Amino acid sequence: MQFEFATAGRIIFGRHALGEAAPIIADHGSRVLLLTGRDGRRAASLKADLENRGCEVMPFSVCGEPTLFRVQDAVKTAHDTRCHAIVGFGGGSIIDLGKAVAALVTNEGDLLDHLEVIGRGQTLLNPPLPFIAIPTTAGTGTEVTANAVIKSPEHGRKVSLRGKYLLPAVAVVDPALSLSLPPSLTAATGMDALTQLIEAFVTRKANPLTDSLCREGLCRVGRSLRQAWLNGDDLDAREDMSLAALFSGMALANAGLGAVHGFAAVIGGMTEIPHGIVCARLLYPVLRVNLERLRQTDGTSSILQKFHEMGRILTGNSGAHAEEGLEWIRLLCTEFCLLSLGPAGLRDKDFAAIAAMAQQSNSMRGNPVELSQGDLIRILEMEKSMGAAGGRVNSRR
């Protein structure tokens, strides 16, 4: 057995941990570029705390996902302000943007020199500016991963800037920051975390350390995702989901992902469908086809046993099998009223092209079994046929 494990340089987790962020950030320098979403008011207290410590804070608001243009614009701002540190305060898109900017400020060349798939994939050689990640959602886990997802509308793809220098210096994870998430965003980000935990658990590159993170994360999702969606003020449920998202990021960064994320990189680049919705809608059909292929190849494999274990964890039923876990996922997606990808912009005529591009995705390499183009097209067709009828997940905990 041989494996490596890498994560953020330091992780601070806890209710109201945001209060600890300012002195940590100030230790990295007196000029701070503060990246936020469109409404930067939620970061007002952090900005005030930093200014009270003598820091000059340069706010930089971004609406939407990081694109080539947005990354380049933020890099220019970081250069022009000669900032000492960068803070990403927001959802996964903001944190991905911050990781990319922190790395590119200290490395020569254009963004496309370093991007995978659509670029030249050159290695980042120089350490980044200190980057402090403060997530306000509970889904992506990007505060502890070594890549930044960037959208290129010109290429119709989402691709990654990847490397050890993408790991944040510090991740401050405060579950209280997710209390304001609306139910729709709670569902989408939570399903992203669930997908990452499952894919990292059953990937061919899993190891005992990532397995332990996935098991704990799945347990917390099983008991709290639906509760957080039903009652957004439930801080216990929010804490569970923040920890599950954190664990999912730690696991995927070291064990990889699978076909759901292989699809998501392509579909997210071709459409405006949010990443969490793509993952939610494709998780059940991908797991269904994977399960069929596993049984055809080796009915006693350790990965197949993990599918059964996943079913037991999610349902809370010690006698459950993989099918019960898949049904739990399908019913949860139905209860969340997550609409099919077709009406959101996915066209039947694109299925073959999407399948072909998804096969080339880095995430596909970790899928527990090799899937043919026919398998991938069938998954998309299965998602389309998933009806709205269903029931309610077992809220047994």
Side-chain angles (χ1 to χ4, degrees):
M1 184 184 302
Q2 184 175 351
F3 62 87
E4 294 185 22
F5 189 89
T7 190
R10 182 180 178 189
I11 299 170
I12 298 97
F13 182 95
R15 302 179 184 190
H16 311 298
L18 180 62
E20 301 180 37
I24 293 169
I25 296 167
D27 282 345
H28 291 285
S30 60
R31 286 197 300 275
V32 178
L33 182 64
L34 177 59
L35 305 176
T36 68
R38 178 190 303 173
D39 184 358
R41 288 176 295 180
R42 294 188 63 202
S45 64
L46 175 63
K47 182 175 181 291
D49 285 349
L50 287 168
E51 289 173 340
N52 288 337
R53 292 179 177 274
C55 291
E56 180 184 1
V57 182
M58 287 75 71
F60 188 97
S61 298
V62 178
C63 178
E65 297 177 293
T67 61
L68 300 181
F69 171 78
R70 286 174 180 149
V71 172
Q72 290 162 345
D73 187 33
V75 169
K76 182 178 184 303
T77 300
H79 275 301
D80 291 346
T81 58
R82 294 181 297 161
C83 61
H84 300 140
I86 296 174
V87 177
F89 184 103
S93 293
I94 293 300
I95 294 175
D96 277 353
L97 174 64
K99 291 196 292 187
V101 173
L104 291 169
V105 165
T106 60
N107 283 271
E108 295 182 357
D110 185 76
L111 173 56
L112 282 171
D113 290 333
H114 304 287
L115 282 177
E116 64 184 22
V117 182
I118 64 172
R120 288 171 280 282
Q122 295 175 1
T123 301
L124 294 162
L125 299 177
N126 300 319
L129 285 181
F131 175 66
I132 297 86
I134 306 177
T136 59
T137 61
T140 67
T142 191
E143 65 270 15
V144 287
T145 66
N147 71 299
V149 178
I150 296 168
K151 184 171 184 176
S152 173
E154 299 83 357
H155 297 87
R157 296 293 298 269
K158 279 185 178 180
V159 296
S160 281
L161 182 66
R162 196 181 302 273
K164 64 181 180 180
Y165 291 135
L166 271 293
L167 284 167
V170 183
V172 179
V173 184
D174 184 343
L177 291 175
S178 63
L179 286 171
S180 62
L181 287 182
S184 59
L185 194 53
T186 297
T189 56
M191 290 298 293
D192 187 14
L194 173 60
T195 302
Q196 291 172 173
L197 288 165
I198 292 175
E199 291 204 303
F201 189 45
V202 301
T203 178
R204 288 175 283 189
K205 298 185 289 184
N207 63 65
L209 184 49
T210 58
D211 283 350
S212 65
L213 291 166
C214 291
R215 290 186 177 101
E216 182 69 17
L218 287 170
C219 179
R220 292 174 184 272
V221 171
R223 73 188 183 199
S224 292
L225 174 50
R226 182 172 177 269
Q227 179 60 25
W229 175 72
L230 287 171
N231 180 11
D233 293 328
D234 187 331
L235 190 51
D236 289 336
R238 293 297 192 185
E239 183 176 75
D240 267 353
M241 290 309 302
S242 291
L243 199 56
L246 175 67
F247 287 172
S248 78
M250 296 170 76
L252 77 86
N254 293 279
L257 291 164
V260 176
H261 280 81
F263 274 122
V266 178
I267 295 171
M270 295 176 62
T271 71
E272 296 300 318
I273 306 173
H275 175 77
I277 301 297
V278 176
C279 290
R281 291 292 306 184
L282 289 178
L283 181 57
Y284 173 85
V286 165
L287 292 178
R288 173 64 63 190
V289 172
N290 276 336
L291 187 59
E292 292 174 4
R293 292 290 174 262
L294 281 168
R295 285 185 164 139
Q296 290 170 357
T297 55
D298 183 359
T300 62
S301 75
S302 60
I303 294 179
L304 180 58
Q305 298 313 307
K306 283 186 173 182
F307 270 73
H308 294 310
E309 185 179 358
M310 176 265 295
R312 293 192 293 271
I313 294 172
L314 289 179
T315 64
N317 177 4
S318 61
H321 294 283
E323 284 78 9
E324 285 95 330
L326 267 61
E327 183 64 5
W328 186 94
I329 291 166
R330 188 190 69 80
L331 291 177
L332 188 65
C333 190
T334 298
E335 190 172 0
F336 286 164
C337 299
L338 301 175
L339 297 178
S340 178
L341 302 182
L346 190 65
R347 303 177 299 180
D348 295 19
K349 67 178 184 178
D350 295 327
F351 282 5
I354 290 170
M357 287 188 286
Q359 280 186 311
Q360 305 305 313
S361 169
N362 278 326
S363 294
M364 197 66 74
R365 299 172 187 171
N367 201 63
V369 292
E370 186 172 344
L371 299 176
S372 68
Q373 176 148 340
D375 290 328
L376 298 178
I377 292 174
R378 181 174 164 233
I379 287 167
L380 295 173
E381 292 172 341
M382 194 182 302
E383 186 280 325
K384 179 184 175 183
S385 67
M386 284 169 60
R392 171 177 287 187
V393 300
N394 175 21
S395 55
R396 72 275 184 266
R397 295 187 175 99

